[in-house]
């Protein structure tokens, strides 16, 4: 085992020990909210996700041009929450005051070959009845499924075109999401560029990481048992306290 791998393993083990200590030091409920997201809705599910798959949903929203001649900030998202884009005030070119602008999001089954990019999400096309204002950016956010490799970037292409471009990666605003800024609307998906000569990492490091994650989760079980065994408030047994007039 190389020195770098020994250092990595030691760091992982230390993180697990610290995490377990922190879990025992706080009240029950620490592990609430750590559940993975609901089942991802695929347009064309990978084999392991075909059973029970539901089709993804589209979405649309509207915004009115305000009296100052600008479209206020907002967010458009699909009804299942798997894709969205946000804009700041003045982010879109505004028609005349009082006009209504419509934004739509649609999952697509057919799209240009992404080439060296392995997509981890559906591809969504975003449209609006007015274009993004010059010099403005929109924030594209895509959700990916639990159980797939986390994508490293958002990629996109213009409708009618065939060339995919790397949009970028601003990190995750929430678990199992990836975001990037774009200068215009279009079609987007998140994925990872395939390495043309990179070898697959060998060894037992992934298995060890998985084992450490299981260990962290098991550390929370005693807290759950303590909570279940704790009597509800006001249900304690024993003799009632003596009143001031007793004895």
């Amino acid at each position: 085992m190389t020195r770098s791998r020994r250092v990595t393993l030691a760091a992982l083990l230390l993180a697990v020990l610290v995490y377990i200590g922190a879990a025992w030091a706080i009240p029950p409920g620490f592990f609430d909210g750590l559940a993975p997201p609901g089942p991802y809705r695929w347009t064309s599910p990978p084999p392991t996700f075909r059973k029970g798959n539901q089709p993804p949903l589209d979405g649309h929203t509207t915004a009115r041009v305000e009296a100052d001649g600008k479209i206020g900030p907002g967010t458009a998202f699909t009804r299942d929450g798997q894709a969205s884009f946000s804009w700041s005030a003045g982010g879109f070119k505004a028609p005349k005051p009082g006009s209504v602008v419509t934004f739509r999001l649609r999952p697509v089954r057919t799209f240009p070959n992404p080439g060296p990019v392995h997509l981890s999400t559906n591809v969504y096309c975003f449209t609006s009845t007015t274009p993004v204002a010059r010099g403005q950016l929109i924030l594209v956010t895509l959700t990916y499924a639990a159980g797939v490799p986390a994508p490293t970037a958002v990629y996109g292409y213009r409708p009618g075109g065939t060339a995919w471009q790397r949009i970028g990666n601003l990190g995750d605003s929430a678990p199992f999401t990836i975001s990037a800024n774009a200068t215009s609307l279009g079609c987007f998906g998140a994925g990872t560029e395939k390495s043309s000569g990179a070898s697959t990492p060998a060894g037992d490091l992934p298995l060890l990481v998985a084992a450490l994650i299981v260990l962290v989760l098991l550390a929370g079980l005693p807290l759950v048992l303590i909570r279940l065994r704790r009597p509800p408030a006001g249900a304690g047994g024993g003799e009632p306290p003596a009143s001031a007039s007793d004895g």
Side-chain angles (χ1 to χ4, degrees):
M1 182 181 295
T2 64
R3 183 174 183 274
S4 61
R5 292 194 66 186
R6 288 197 299 270
V7 172
T8 300
L9 294 177
L12 285 172
L13 181 59
L14 178 61
V16 168
L17 295 176
V18 172
Y19 192 91
I20 292 174
W24 275 99
I26 62 177
F30 178 76
F31 289 89
D32 295 349
L34 291 184
Y40 191 82
R41 293 172 172 259
W42 296 92
T43 52
S44 299
T48 55
F49 293 95
R50 286 176 183 167
K51 185 177 180 180
N53 179 66
Q54 297 291 321
L57 304 178
D58 60 3
H60 79 278
T61 189
T62 59
R64 186 175 296 276
V65 180
E66 299 175 352
D68 61 359
K70 294 183 178 181
I71 299 173
T75 299
F77 48 86
T78 57
R79 289 175 291 155
D80 52 23
Q82 292 188 175
S84 67
F85 65 92
S86 304
W87 62 91
S88 58
F92 282 85
K93 185 177 180 180
K96 63 181 181 180
S99 299
V100 175
V101 177
T102 300
F103 306 94
R104 297 188 182 278
L105 306 88
R106 180 173 57 94
V108 294
R109 286 183 173 273
T110 59
F111 45 82
N113 188 331
V117 177
H118 174 75
L119 294 175
S120 304
T121 69
N122 297 329
V123 176
Y124 291 87
C125 290
F126 303 157
T127 60
S128 67
T129 53
T130 188
V132 176
R134 183 183 295 274
Q136 296 293 317
L137 297 173
I138 60 168
L139 179 65
V140 175
T141 300
L142 300 175
T143 300
Y144 56 91
V148 302
T152 57
V154 174
Y155 296 82
Y157 66 92
R158 292 181 180 274
T162 59
W164 285 80
Q165 293 184 338
R166 188 182 189 278
I167 307 302
N169 180 5
L170 295 177
D172 53 343
S173 56
F176 300 98
T177 66
I178 184 171
S179 301
N181 283 328
T183 58
S184 64
L185 294 180
C187 301
F188 303 93
T192 302
E193 190 168 352
K194 304 170 187 174
S195 301
S196 56
S199 58
T200 303
D204 55 358
L205 183 58
L207 294 177
L208 181 58
V209 172
L212 293 177
I213 292 174
V214 172
L215 181 61
V216 169
L217 295 178
L218 290 177
L221 291 179
L223 300 177
V224 175
L225 295 176
I226 291 173
R227 178 192 294 175
L228 293 176
R229 292 176 180 175
R230 180 178 297 172
E239 295 294 331
S243 64
S245 59
D246 289 346

